[in-house]
Amino acid sequence: MDEQKKTWKPSPTAILNPRLDINFKAIFTQDTEGAKIALKSFLSAAIGRQVAEVTLGPNEPAAESLTDAQISFDVNVTFDSGEKASIEMQGREYDYDYSARSEIEAARLLNNNAKKGTEWNVEKVYQISVLNFHYKNGDKSEMSWYTMKDKNGCPLADRLNVIYIDLLTIKRLVGTPVEKLTPLQKWGMYFSYADDESKTGYIGQIGNNERGIMEATTIIKTMSEDDAAFFREFSRDKAIRDYNAGISAAKRKGLEEGLEQGAHQKAVEAATNMFAKKYPIEDIVEITGLPLDQVLAIKAQLAAQPAQA
C-alpha cells in the first residue's frame, strides 16, 4: 500500500491565517477583480465612507534575480479622489515605539502625496494598521483614529490620519447576528476567525452579507491549496516561538542594565540564522522586530563574507 502523502495542512479544509502579514497582503494584492472588490470593501469599512475606485501602488521593489529575497512593504493604494492609504497587519506587539513609527510612516505618505506647484495642494492620507493586540492597555476601542489637533480639538489641515483597528476587541462580538455587525466589525471577524474551522459557518454568513469578504474568502481558499504555504506558516510560528524563548532566556540571565543590549544581540543572531535558512526579509523583520535598515545591513554583511570552502 502506498504511503499516504504527507502534508503540512492541519486538515483538508484548513485555511491560512489572514493575520500573518504575508497572507494579509496577498489577499489584497492579487491581480484580480475579486481582490480589488475586497480591497475597496475593507477601505470603505476602515474610513467610514464608500471608496469608489482604488489603484495599487508599488508594494515590492524589483529583485535583482529570481532567487533574491524581496522586501514586502505595506499595501499601498491610491483612491480615485487622489487620497492615498497604506495598510498593514500587525499580528503581535513589538517593543519599539509603535506610535512614533506610525506617525513617521503617515508623514512619509503625506510627503509623497504632495503635489509640486505654487499652492499646498495635497489630498488626505491614511496609515491603517490592523492590530492583533491592544495598542494601549487601557483603551479597548474597536478603532482609534488620530489626526493633528490643538488642545481644544480643532484640527489643523486634517490631511494626516493614523488609524488603528483592534481585532482583540472586535473578536469578542463573535456570535452577534450578522445583520447587527458594522462593516468594520465584519472585517474584524473575518481576520480573527477565517482560519478557525469551528467558525466556518459564521464566517460564511458574514461573507454572504458582504461581497468583499466573500471575495477575500475565495482568494485565501485558493492560496490554502498550496501545501508549501502551510509549511511557511509553520516555520514562521516556530521561528517566533524560538526567538521569544531566546529573549526570555537572555532576560533571565542578564543584569538589569544589560537586558536591552542582550535582547538586541539575540535579535541580530536570530536574523543571521534566518538568513542562513533563506527566510524572506519581511519575515525576519516581523519576527525579530529589528528595523528594516538594520536587517538589510545584516544581509549586506553576510553577502560580503567570503564563501566557506
Side-chain angles (χ1 to χ4, degrees), residues 25 28-29 39 54-63 70-78 84-87 105 108-109 112:
K25 291 173 184 172
F28 295 120
T29 57
L39 180 57
V54 294
T55 303
L56 276 174
N59 294 290
E60 290 187 352
Q70 296 188 2
I71 309 165
S72 294
F73 295 97
D74 301 344
V75 179
N76 297 309
V77 297
T78 301
K84 292 184 184 295
S86 181
I87 314 166
E105 292 297 324
R108 181 180 294 119
L109 193 62
N112 291 340

Side-chain angles (χ1 to χ4, degrees), residues 63-126:
E64 295 181 2
S65 72
L66 293 176
T67 58
D68 283 350
Q70 296 188 2
I71 309 165
S72 294
F73 295 97
D74 301 344
V75 179
N76 297 309
V77 297
T78 301
F79 302 178
D80 54 340
S81 62
E83 297 171 316
K84 292 184 184 295
S86 181
I87 314 166
E88 66 173 350
M89 168 67 74
Q90 286 288 343
R92 68 188 184 100
E93 190 171 5
Y94 296 108
D95 293 332
Y96 54 64
D97 192 340
Y98 198 74
S99 57
R101 175 184 181 277
S102 297
E103 282 188 333
I104 292 170
E105 292 297 324
R108 181 180 294 119
L109 193 62
L110 184 66
N111 183 61
N112 291 340
N113 206 31
K115 304 178 180 67
K116 293 182 179 180
T118 58
E119 299 180 3
W120 293 104
N121 296 319
V122 59
E123 302 296 339
K124 290 183 179 181
V125 299
Y126 306 87

Side-chain angles (χ1 to χ4, degrees), residues 191-204:
F191 292 132
S192 298
Y193 295 110
D195 59 324
D196 185 341
E197 293 192 82
S198 70
K199 302 294 189 297
T200 300
Y202 186 60
I203 297 302

Side-chain angles (χ1 to χ4, degrees), residues 171-178 189 199 202:
K171 71 185 296 184
R172 294 172 183 163
L173 298 173
V174 63
T176 300
V178 173
M189 289 295 175
K199 302 294 189 297
Y202 186 60

Side-chain angles (χ1 to χ4, degrees), residues 44-282:
S44 297
I47 68 174
R49 63 176 174 80
Q50 193 66 30
V51 175
E53 193 58 57
V54 294
T55 303
L56 276 174
N59 294 290
E60 290 187 352
E64 295 181 2
S65 72
L66 293 176
T67 58
D68 283 350
Q70 296 188 2
I71 309 165
S72 294
F73 295 97
D74 301 344
V75 179
N76 297 309
V77 297
T78 301
F79 302 178
D80 54 340
S81 62
E83 297 171 316
K84 292 184 184 295
S86 181
I87 314 166
E88 66 173 350
M89 168 67 74
Q90 286 288 343
R92 68 188 184 100
E93 190 171 5
Y94 296 108
D95 293 332
Y96 54 64
D97 192 340
Y98 198 74
S99 57
R101 175 184 181 277
S102 297
E103 282 188 333
I104 292 170
E105 292 297 324
R108 181 180 294 119
L109 193 62
L110 184 66
N111 183 61
N112 291 340
N113 206 31
K115 304 178 180 67
K116 293 182 179 180
T118 58
E119 299 180 3
W120 293 104
N121 296 319
V122 59
E123 302 296 339
K124 290 183 179 181
V125 299
Y126 306 87
Q127 174 68 28
I128 303 172
S129 299
V130 183
L131 309 179
N132 198 32
F133 56 87
H134 296 306
Y135 166 57
K136 294 181 179 178
N137 289 331
D139 185 3
K140 304 299 189 296
S141 303
E142 294 177 2
M143 172 189 285
S144 298
W145 190 320
Y146 298 91
T147 60
M148 296 182 69
K149 298 180 179 180
D150 68 12
K151 62 182 180 180
N152 297 315
C154 182
L156 198 55
D158 197 28
R159 292 293 180 267
L160 190 151
N161 299 269
V162 173
I163 299 173
Y164 295 148
I165 299 170
D166 188 328
L167 292 185
L168 293 189
T169 294
I170 295 176
K171 71 185 296 184
R172 294 172 183 163
L173 298 173
V174 63
T176 300
V178 173
E179 62 273 11
K180 293 185 178 181
L181 296 174
T182 66
L184 182 65
Q185 290 168 348
K186 291 173 187 175
W187 273 103
M189 289 295 175
Y190 171 74
F191 292 132
S192 298
Y193 295 110
D195 59 324
D196 185 341
E197 293 192 82
S198 70
K199 302 294 189 297
T200 300
Y202 186 60
I203 297 302
Q205 292 178 37
I206 293 175
N208 291 334
N209 190 262
E210 172 55 56
R211 172 76 185 281
I213 294 177
M214 180 184 293
E215 297 292 347
T217 299
T218 299
I219 291 168
I220 204 165
K221 281 184 177 179
T222 301
M223 292 164 50
S224 300
E225 294 174 2
D226 180 10
D227 191 63
F230 283 92
F231 173 74
R232 290 191 294 270
E233 193 168 284
F234 169 80
S235 298
R236 176 181 290 203
D237 181 67
K238 181 177 181 296
I240 289 174
R241 291 172 186 268
D242 287 345
Y243 171 69
N244 288 339
I247 293 298
S248 297
K251 288 183 177 181
R252 288 194 297 269
K253 292 180 180 179
L255 297 174
E256 183 77 24
E257 63 273 12
L259 288 178
E260 183 175 347
Q261 181 178 357
H264 179 268
Q265 182 59 36
K266 282 291 182 182
V268 171
E269 292 173 2
T272 302
N273 291 334
M274 282 187 271
F275 269 122
K277 296 178 180 178
K278 302 188 182 302
Y279 274 77
I281 289 179
E282 66 269 18

